[in-house]
Amino acid sequence: MARPFDICIRGGGITGRTLALLLARERLRVGFVAQDGGKAADAKTNTTEDVKPDIRAFALNLKSKELLESIRCWPNDDDATPVLKMQVHGDDGGEVVFDAADCGAPALAWIVDVPVLEAQLAQAMQFQPQIELLDAPGPATLTVVCEGKTSRSRAEFGVDFEVNPYAQRAIAARLNCDTPHGHTARQWFSHEGILGVLPMGGATLATQGNSVAIVWSIDEARAQALLHMSPDDFCRALQVATHECFGALTLTSERTVWPLQLARTDRWAGSTGGASWALAGDAAHTVHPLSGQGLNLGLADVAELASLIAGRDYWRSVADEKLLRRYERSRKAAAAALGSVTDGLQRLFAQNGSSWQALRNAGMSGFERFGPLKKWVARQAMGA
Ligand SMILES: Cc1cc2nc3c(=O)[nH]c(=O)nc-3n(C[C@H](O)[C@H](O)[C@H](O)COP(=O)(O)OP(=O)(O)OC[C@H]3O[C@@H](n4cnc5c(N)ncnc54)[C@H](O)[C@@H]3O)c2cc1C
């Protein structure tokens, strides 16, 4: 009979692949099951509902960058665009501006092309003899579930997942803009939705940065209308929503749509029927994308798990109960805190009515004036 793996990872997303590479570095035997049978060809497919190319671009923080660099998977300068400034606009004059220079950081975040990062991770795994690609889960001392929000294994292990769907969908798309973005990310909050415009084009911009990625979280009916209007009408709607600050906009990708939810598990690790397991990434938590933190959270999960496993006493197993409890304690608190903050912001801006509008915009202005708190929040988001 084949020797069991030290760890079997289920889930071929960015979280699962990063964990596989971190554990292989520790000379552990890793079995890896991606949904498509463990082959690397999933790098260009949407990781959730459909199989369209994933045209999203993720804001990754400094901690995620350092983690991906440590496994030599950080994209090159063309595919990771530093965000030097972030402007957040309310719907009645409220504004908050974050500046990397004020925080003494090289950037507030980097906007990374998702298919490029996925391909880079898939390629790195091919050169790792410690990782065996499997068509189905194999016996292992510890199974780590990284299957995303609709995880089947999570249910198999009998773990509850509390899901609160948002009455919003996110539209993602890429565009060219006439007015250069100047490495500034912009976000507009209103009761109608939350629009984020992220700078793309790489670190060195010969053209001053004329490409952007958007995430527009908006109610279902409006999302359907925006998806089905002509590209020209969509761009015009976007110009209005961005207060014309990018000049003329032109779609350079199709529009894709994503359901949104706040969800969390109460149990991050355990043993079911004699099998030890742990959850990581969206399989353990999902948050609204308004903060651009979901994957940062998942990468912090796998960094913590890999570090606890690497630093364990030599006589402890990789499924040691104490180790898994420590993992649960440290990650549960971080995920719950971020989930509550993003949910609170989403709810605050979903309220219609002038008193809510006045309250939230006054809050933004107060926050903008309170330098120490603003710096602290920026550093938390940066993972610094
Ligand atoms: C519109 C939008 C914008 C976002 N922007 C940002 C951002 O800017 N920054 C950020 O940090 N986060 C962002 N996020 C969040 C981010 O997308 C997720 O947190 C991240 O993709 C989760 O990665 P994951 O690997 O945990 O799960 P997933 O990406 O869902 O990957 C799970 C993988 O497991 C596979 N799988 C499923 N079931 C099985 C099975 N039974 N066996 C084996 N494999 C299986 C799936 O096919 C998939 O490949 C955004 C999300 C949305 C919706």
Side-chain angles (χ1 to χ4, degrees):
M1 207 172 90
R3 190 160 62 94
F5 293 101
D6 293 310
I7 300 196
C8 180
I9 297 171
R10 301 187 191 178
I14 295 171
T15 305
R17 289 185 188 278
T18 302
L19 180 62
L21 289 163
L22 289 168
L23 295 174
R25 201 169 63 178
E26 301 303 322
R27 315 295 307 153
L28 291 161
R29 273 189 75 230
V30 179
F32 182 81
V33 198
Q35 198 161 34
D36 63 358
K39 308 293 183 289
D42 65 334
K44 281 203 181 309
T45 60
N46 188 325
T47 52
T48 55
E49 282 71 18
D50 53 34
V51 288
K52 288 182 190 149
D54 191 340
I55 48 89
R56 289 177 301 172
F58 288 162
L60 294 186
N61 65 22
L62 184 60
K63 261 219 174 107
S64 297
K65 177 175 188 274
E66 287 170 351
L67 183 74
L68 292 164
E69 279 172 344
S70 78
I71 51 171
R72 298 172 189 279
C73 287
W74 184 248
N76 68 32
D77 280 357
D78 288 343
D79 297 306
T81 308
V83 177
L84 303 183
K85 232 182 189 187
M86 173 145 192
Q87 292 180 350
V88 185
H89 308 274
D91 50 357
D92 190 21
E95 190 183 60
V96 179
V97 181
F98 296 101
D99 195 322
D102 292 346
C103 302
L108 295 167
W110 285 261
I111 309 304
V112 172
D113 185 274
V114 172
V116 167
L117 176 57
E118 286 175 333
Q120 205 132 344
L121 288 161
Q123 197 186 9
M125 284 177 64
Q126 288 171 359
F127 297 103
Q128 256 306 345
Q130 295 294 113
I131 303 174
E132 197 172 315
L133 304 183
L134 306 171
D135 288 328
T141 309
L142 175 68
T143 294
V144 185
V145 179
C146 301
E147 293 173 352
K149 62 185 181 181
T150 55
S151 170
R152 189 156 33 92
S153 302
R154 185 183 55 218
E156 224 174 79
F157 287 125
V159 186
D160 285 340
F161 198 51
E162 187 194 321
V163 179
N164 294 294
Y166 287 109
Q168 280 185 334
R169 302 237 153 190
I171 295 178
R174 306 247 180 128
L175 297 104
N176 278 342
C177 50
D178 264 10
T179 308
H181 55 60
H183 289 279
T184 299
R186 292 185 171 84
Q187 222 173 3
W188 285 267
F189 282 76
S190 79
H191 76 272
E192 284 171 346
I194 302 164
L195 170 62
V197 183
L198 308 172
M200 300 278 295
T204 44
L205 297 173
T207 58
Q208 292 300 304
N210 293 91
S211 55
V212 291
I214 63 149
V215 178
W216 200 350
S217 306
I218 205 140
D219 73 68
E220 173 75 42
R222 175 97 169 113
Q224 288 307 322
L226 286 166
L227 278 174
H228 292 106
M229 59 180 58
S230 72
D232 283 352
D233 288 347
F234 178 78
C235 290
R236 267 192 292 277
L238 200 52
Q239 272 169 238
V240 172
T242 54
H243 301 260
E244 307 280 344
C245 82
F246 294 100
L249 291 160
T250 322
L251 264 175
T252 55
S253 76
E254 61 181 315
R255 291 155 270 180
T256 58
V257 66
W258 304 82
L260 302 177
Q261 64 179 36
L262 172 70
R264 68 183 77 162
T265 176
D266 206 36
R267 288 168 67 212
W268 283 62
S271 174
T272 305
S276 296
W277 53 267
L279 306 182
D282 273 22
H285 46 71
T286 50
V287 295
H288 194 288
L290 68 89
S291 62
Q293 288 291 339
L295 181 60
N296 288 306
L297 210 49
L299 289 174
D301 296 344
V302 294
E304 175 72 3
L305 185 59
S307 148
L308 286 168
I309 288 173
R312 75 192 188 283
D313 299 318
Y314 72 91
W315 43 267
R316 284 189 198 276
S317 133
V318 293
D320 180 83
E321 204 185 318
K322 206 165 146 192
L323 181 155
L324 294 179
R325 288 280 84 81
R326 272 186 73 186
Y327 168 66
E328 177 174 272
R329 263 200 312 277
S330 78
R331 296 312 303 153
K332 198 177 188 175
L338 187 74
S340 302
V341 170
T342 51
D343 188 53
L345 276 173
Q346 195 278 339
R347 282 168 191 272
L348 179 62
F349 277 90
Q351 305 294 332
N352 205 351
S354 55
S355 50
W356 283 105
Q357 199 178 28
L359 176 73
R360 60 199 176 217
N361 285 276
M364 286 179 87
S365 304
F367 178 79
E368 171 64 15
R369 283 193 299 270
F370 193 39
L373 177 63
K374 203 174 88 169
K375 247 183 220 167
W376 183 83
V377 168
R379 295 200 76 78
Q380 295 298 308
M382 285 156 55

